[in-house]
Amino acid sequence: MPIDADACRALDRRHLWHPFTRRSAVDGEPFPVITRGEGCYLYDTDGTRYLDAIASWWCCNLGHGHPRLMEAIRRQTRELDHSILGNLSHPRAVELATELAGLLPGERHILFAGDGASAVEAALKIALQYWHNVGQPQRCRFASLAGAYHGDTLGALSVGYVEQFHAPFAPLVQPVFRADSPCCERCAWNRQPPDCGLPCFESMQRIVDEHGPELAAVIVEPLCQGAAGMRIYPHAWLRRLADLCAARDVLLIADEIAVGFGRTGTLFAFEQAAVAPDIVCLGKGLSAGCLPISAAAVADRLYATFSDKPADRTFYHGHTFAGNPLACAAALEMLRVYREDGIVQEAARKGRLLAERMAPLRELPGVAAVRWLGLIGAVELDGAVPGRAQQVQARLRRQGILLRPLGEVVYLMPPLVIPDDVLGKTVACLYDSLRHG
Ligand SMILES: Cc1ncc(COP(=O)(O)O)c(C=O)c1O
C-alpha cells in the first residue's frame, strides 16, 4: 500500500522523538520519509533516490539490503531468533567471537553489546574493574581527547563531554582528563607530518606523566575523531600514545566503532599505527549496519583477572540482546563478504581516488581545510557565512545526495562499496555546491 508521506510526517511530529535532532528541523521543512534501501541508495515515499553519502551514520559499509546479509538473517530466523548468553551459549556468538578474536592482536575475549555506546560503557567498566581486581583501585580516572565522541550514555558521555551539548548532564558526568585534539589539517603549530615532531602530543604526555598512577585507561578514536568534525591525525601520534600507555601501565582503549571494518583503508584503523590496544570497541560496521550489535574485545591478560575464585571478581554487566543470534549471523556474513570481495583493499583503493578528487576543494573560497583518510573526506568551512554547511546539505539533497554536516564540516563517508564513478560524481557535486555558494 502506498504510504502517504504527509500523514506519516504528521504522526512523526506528534509521536516520534528524533535522535540528535533539533526540534526546528523536524517542525520545519518536510523531510524525506525513507521507505526503501538498496545498495548505496535510499528511496523516499515519492520514489526519489538519494545517495547515502554518510552510510546512515557511518555503519552501512556494504550499502543497504545486501542480498547475502539479508539471506544470512533469513537463514538464522529458521534456527534461533534470540537466546541470552548468561550461562548459555549459541553457535553464532561463538563463531563471531572466534572470528573477531582472530582478527585482533593477541588473545582476546569478546563481550557483546547492542550499540556503540554500550560497548564503550562496558570497556570503561572493564578497565575500572581490572584495576580493582589487581588491587589498584586508585586507578579510576580516564583520559580522552578534546572533542572526543564515544556515545551518549553517561559513562561514554564522561569521556566525550562537550559543554555545548551536554551541560544538563554535568551533575552525572565523571571528571576526565582531556588532552588537546590532534588534527594535521588544522595544525596549531603549522607543522607538516610525518616529520612534525608531534607537538600536539605534549598535552597527552603531560596528563599521563602527571596522573599516570590514577589513570585506569586512555580512550581514543584511532586516527580520526569523527563527531568532532573528522579530525584526522597521524598514526605516529597513536603509536606514541600506545608506547606511553605501555610505559606507564595505563590501559589503552581504541574506540573503533566509527572507523573499524575498513573505513580508513585497513580493517582496523589502529593497525596503521602497529599498536595492540588492551580493549577495542566495535559497533556500527560490525553488522554492516543492518542489525544492532557491538562488542568490547578485551585482551586476555585483563580477562584473566575476572575469575570468581578465590574471590568473586565476576563482571556483573550485560545486556539482554548482547550477541543476538540474528545480528551475529549478519556480522559473520559481513566478514565473509569482506574476505571474498576484498572490501578493505577496495576501500583503500577508493580512498586514494577520493583523496585525488578532494584535493582541489582546498582552493575554493570559504574553505578552511580539506582532509581525508580512507573513505572519509571532509571539508571544513571557515564559518564566514553562517549556515553555509546547511545550505550545501540542502543543495546536495536536491541533487539526490544525503549528507549531515557536523557544524562547519561537510563530509562524505559513503558505503565502502560505492562505485568509483558515483564517488567521483559526488565529490564533483560537492565541489560545485561549494563553488557556487
Ligand atoms: C567513535 C564512536 N564511538 C561510539 C559511538 C556510539 O555509537 P552508537 O551510536 O551506536 O551508540 C559513535 C557513534 O557515532 C562513535 O562515532
Side-chain angles (χ1 to χ4, degrees), residues 86-250:
N87 294 72
L88 290 176
S89 187
H90 64 75
R92 295 302 93 77
V94 176
E95 288 159 14
L96 184 58
T98 307
E99 287 234 16
L100 292 174
L103 291 169
L104 290 160
E107 297 292 311
R108 292 191 183 250
H109 274 71
I110 311 297
L111 183 93
F112 287 116
D115 49 33
S118 50
V120 168
E121 211 72 36
L124 299 174
K125 287 175 69 181
I126 289 167
L128 278 181
Q129 190 174 333
Y130 164 73
W131 290 113
H132 185 89
N133 292 350
V134 298
Q136 295 196 52
Q138 79 286 358
R139 284 189 175 266
C140 58
R141 307 286 306 273
F142 290 94
S144 63
L145 286 174
Y149 181 73
H150 298 288
D152 288 332
T153 51
L154 286 170
L157 201 64
S158 297
V159 286
Y161 184 79
V162 175
E163 183 71 26
Q164 181 197 353
F165 301 133
H166 303 138
F169 319 114
L172 283 177
V173 163
Q174 296 299 312
V176 159
F177 298 110
R178 202 56 67 88
D180 293 344
S181 165
C183 179
C184 295
E185 269 293 313
R186 302 288 273 158
C187 177
W189 293 265
N190 261 326
R191 307 256 185 101
Q192 290 297 316
D195 301 318
C196 64
L198 297 175
C200 55
F201 192 74
E202 268 162 36
S203 76
M204 181 61 90
Q205 177 85 45
R206 206 172 330 110
I207 287 169
V208 180
D209 283 347
E210 286 172 17
H211 302 283
E214 304 163 63
L215 284 178
V218 177
I219 179 167
V220 290
E221 297 156 83
L223 306 192
C224 176
Q225 288 191 270
M230 304 299 157
R231 288 189 202 160
I232 291 162
Y233 63 92
H235 51 70
W237 192 101
L238 186 59
R239 172 80 245 169
R240 199 177 285 187
L241 175 64
D243 290 344
L244 180 63
C245 286
R248 299 290 150 80
D249 213 7
V250 172

